[in-house]
Amino acid sequence: ALERAGRIVAASRRTEPGALGDISPERVAEVARAAGQPLVLLLDGPEEMPPVLAHRLALWSRETERWLTASGVRLVVACRGEYWEQAGPLFGAGVLHGRPGRLPACVRIGELTAGQARTARERFGIPEGALAPADAGHPLALRLLSEVRAALP
């Protein structure tokens, strides 16, 4: 994803990808470590991966764990509980944040407060009244509507 982001930035600036310097995942992790902060990656919605990739979940988990450990990178997985029940045990003991010997519980994200929802709608560019009151404070509804609106001509 970092490599792809570098190509996108280079294309938006009409420069060659190499002109941005080394933006490999390893280099970005190194810069973060040198600044005294680990690089934190967010994997959002992994349960939406294509089925062909889902069959390789165990291998992906082992390789991801190896790379995260070697590079000092942390990973936050935003997923449904059902996905985590399957994917969580694929990571080795001691690498997951939580109580020793137990998988971390999925942290459930509920409705936003009225103020948080208003701020989120402003940041997503969602006009007031675009959502039914029951959905106006739901983080997933806000994100999905913003993605639909962005895809419209």
Side-chain angles (χ1 to χ4, degrees):
L2 290 172
E3 290 170 355
R4 225 179 4 252
R7 289 192 301 270
I8 292 168
V9 169
S12 71
R13 293 183 179 176
R14 294 188 174 100
T15 61
E16 293 296 317
L20 295 175
D22 183 1
I23 56 171
S24 67
E26 290 76 16
R27 177 65 180 136
V28 174
E30 180 183 312
V31 169
R33 273 194 318 276
Q37 296 293 325
L39 177 63
V40 178
L41 300 176
L42 170 65
L43 178 59
D44 186 18
E47 61 272 13
E48 298 169 8
M49 75 178 84
V52 69
L53 295 178
H55 295 298
R56 297 177 35 211
L57 184 59
L59 175 63
W60 180 87
S61 299
R62 284 191 306 275
E63 290 299 313
T64 297
E65 179 183 334
R66 183 194 57 74
W67 184 80
L68 293 170
T69 302
S71 60
V73 174
R74 295 185 183 164
L75 177 66
V76 175
V77 181
C79 63
R80 294 184 184 107
E82 298 82 7
Y83 174 84
W84 188 246
E85 288 173 5
Q86 176 188 6
L90 298 174
F91 288 91
V95 299
L96 301 175
H97 179 71
R99 289 184 273 177
R102 297 186 63 188
L103 285 176
C106 289
V107 177
R108 305 234 182 256
I109 299 176
E111 295 288 319
L112 300 173
T113 65
Q116 292 169 330
R118 186 174 36 261
T119 300
R121 286 191 303 274
E122 288 170 3
R123 290 183 180 168
F124 281 132
I126 298 172
E128 286 297 322
L131 285 165
D135 297 324
H138 193 280
L140 181 59
L142 296 173
R143 189 193 84 191
L144 292 175
L145 179 57
S146 73
E147 290 175 3
V148 168
R149 288 174 51 85
L152 294 173

